[in-house]
Amino acid sequence: MSLRRLVPQRRSEIKQYATYRSYKRFLREDFNKRCGYCDADDKFLGAAVAFHVDHFAPQKKFDELKTDYKNLIYSCRFCNGAKSDYWPSDCQLTSVVEEEGIIDPCDSEYDKHLARNDKGYIYPLTKLGGFIHRLLKLGLTRHSVLWKLHRIEENLNKMDRQRDRLSEEQLTTYQLLSSEYRSLIAYICEYGDK
C-alpha cells in the first residue's frame, strides 16, 4: 500500500517572509498536518509545536534557498534530524546521484520508492528507496505504531457514524474504547507539548 495518504502540495503563491519559520503554518496546511517524509500525523507527536521546517536542499549549503517556500518541508523532528544537512551534490537541483539521494516529498515520484505493508511498516521498493529508508530511519517501529493509531482513529470515526445501529452492549463497548483512545491521544498530545 502507499506510504502516504495524500501527496502534499505546496501552494503556488505565498507572501514572502524574512524568516523560514514564518511559513510553518502554511506548510502545516499544505502537508496535511503530516511529516512530508514519513507521513506521521503531527497530533501524535505533539502537534505543530513539535514539528520542524526542514530545508530540502540544506540552507547550510544553499543559503539563497533559506526562505524559498518551494524548498521547505513540514517535517517531524525525527526525519528532520535524520536527514540533517544531507545533500548528494553541489547543485541545488540535483537531489539524487547514482541511486543515492532524496526526493522532494511533494513530488509523486517519492511514492514510487517507498511503501507500507499491512502492519504499517515502511519498506523500500527500489535501490533509491532503500537509501532514503536508511537515511531517514524509516524502518523504526514508531512509524508502524503511529500508522496503527491513525487506523484505530479512522475505525472509531466509522463506528461513530454508525452508533444508531449498534446494540446497547456494542454501544457501551464502543464508548469505552473511544473514551480510552481519545484520552490516550489527549495525553500524547499534551505530553508532546512539554
Side-chain angles (χ1 to χ4, degrees):
M1 86 181 65
S2 180
L3 167 67
R4 303 175 299 177
R5 290 157 189 89
L6 295 168
V7 175
Q9 297 286 325
R10 286 184 202 90
R11 60 193 71 211
S12 56
E13 293 187 25
I14 191 161
K15 176 185 169 189
Q16 278 298 122
Y17 289 97
T19 67
Y20 67 89
R21 287 183 183 91
S22 299
Y23 293 107
K24 188 174 186 180
R25 63 188 164 141
F26 304 107
L27 289 165
R28 184 175 191 239
E29 214 175 282
D30 292 353
F31 280 77
N32 309 301
K33 299 179 183 176
R34 298 179 175 283
C35 174
Y37 297 112
C38 72
D39 201 45
D41 190 321
D42 71 3
K43 78 176 161 193
F44 299 130
L45 295 172
V49 74
F51 264 53
H52 296 183
V53 174
D54 176 53
H55 290 83
F56 181 62
Q59 68 174 336
K60 193 178 241 181
K61 205 167 192 175
F62 306 104
D63 190 57
E64 66 277 14
L65 297 177
K66 190 175 188 175
T67 59
D68 183 343
Y69 193 71
K70 294 182 297 288
N71 187 52
L72 303 177
I73 310 284
Y74 189 66
S75 175
C76 72
R77 65 184 180 266
F78 303 106
C79 287
N80 189 35
K83 180 183 161 286
S84 188
D85 291 326
Y86 171 78
W87 197 252
S89 74
D90 291 327
C91 173
Q92 62 183 316
L93 300 175
T94 305
S95 67
V96 176
V97 176
E98 296 179 18
E99 299 300 318
E100 289 190 2
I102 191 154
I103 297 170
D104 184 332
C106 289
D107 188 332
S108 60
E109 191 74 20
Y110 191 83
D111 290 322
K112 293 179 182 175
H113 299 278
L114 298 160
R116 284 189 193 272
N117 68 17
D118 61 351
K119 295 187 183 341
Y121 284 97
I122 301 171
Y123 63 94
L125 296 170
T126 63
K127 187 175 178 185
L128 176 57
F131 182 86
I132 295 169
H133 191 265
R134 286 186 304 279
L135 175 70
L136 299 178
K137 299 177 175 59
L138 296 177
L140 297 176
T141 302
R142 86 176 135 71
H143 296 293
S144 174
V145 170
L146 294 172
W147 180 84
K148 287 175 185 176
L149 283 172
H150 184 76
R151 292 290 303 260
I152 291 169
E153 186 169 281
E154 283 178 335
N155 287 320
L156 285 172
N157 289 338
K158 282 181 194 174
M159 291 286 293
D160 200 36
R161 291 188 295 274
Q162 299 173 5
R163 290 175 72 140
D164 57 335
R165 292 185 248 159
L166 300 175
S167 71
E168 195 171 314
E169 184 180 340
Q170 289 171 327
L171 183 58
T172 301
T173 302
Y174 159 72
Q175 288 170 332
L176 286 170
L177 179 62
S178 180
S179 176
E180 287 294 321
Y181 172 78
R182 294 183 199 298
S183 176
L184 173 65
I185 296 308
Y187 173 77
I188 289 170
C189 292
E190 180 183 322
Y191 177 75
D193 286 341
K194 294 180 180 182

